[in-house]
Amino acid sequence: MMTLRQFSAEPSTIPTITSWYLADLSKAQGKQELFTHQSPQKLKILREHALIESAVSSNRIEGINVDQSRINTLILGEPFLKNRDEEEIRGYRDALRLIHEKADGIDVSEKTILKFHKPPRDHGLGIPRIRSFVNFSALF
């Protein structure tokens, strides 16, 4: 409550160090916007690399390992899935893609989290599912 009172009162002076930090932030934001407009291809590559690293690391924590030669194809392409581990990685990729594309429209709630972890339909692998991700485009 005290913070609101301070804002409603006459503005006080801003410490010099704070104004320097604000200027640095503004400068960094300008550089980021410039980089976004001038180097979209570099950003795309960085985004893909981050997606691959995140999917592999998160699934490795859960004991899911996939042949390194198939990682790029699994995450960036649409290959035929050979086993359950590959399906898990594909599901994680789909979840991350949805989060990045529709972050503003996703509610952070128990219901949403349960949707992310709902077992999917059998995708022709004939492998019973314990936990995985679903086709998210149909959920939101």
Side-chain angles (χ1 to χ4, degrees), residues 3-64:
T3 305
L4 294 176
R5 287 186 190 144
Q6 289 175 350
F7 282 125
S8 66
E10 187 72 25
S12 60
T13 59
I14 297 173
T16 307
I17 191 76
T18 304
S19 63
W20 289 344
Y21 285 140
L22 290 172
D24 288 345
L25 282 172
S26 177
K27 191 176 179 182
Q29 183 180 9
K31 286 181 180 179
Q32 179 182 351
E33 289 174 6
L34 180 66
F35 187 76
T36 303
H37 293 297
Q38 289 184 343
S39 304
Q41 187 62 28
K42 288 180 183 176
L43 286 176
K44 181 182 178 211
I45 291 169
L46 288 172
R47 213 175 282 120
E48 288 174 354
H49 181 72
L51 181 67
I52 290 168
E53 289 299 316
S54 178
V56 169
S57 298
S58 293
N59 281 289
R60 190 177 302 132
I61 289 170
E62 295 182 18
I64 296 168

Side-chain angles (χ1 to χ4, degrees), residues 4 12 20 28 32 53 55 57-58 60 71 73-74 78-79 83 86-87 111 115 117 124-125 130-131 133:
L4 294 176
S12 60
W20 289 344
Q32 179 182 351
E53 289 299 316
S57 298
S58 293
R60 190 177 302 132
I71 295 292
T73 308
L74 280 172
E78 295 293 328
N83 57 37
E86 289 187 358
E87 187 177 352
K111 182 179 176 183
K115 283 182 183 180
H117 291 280
L125 294 175
I130 296 170
R131 185 210 59 80
F133 298 95

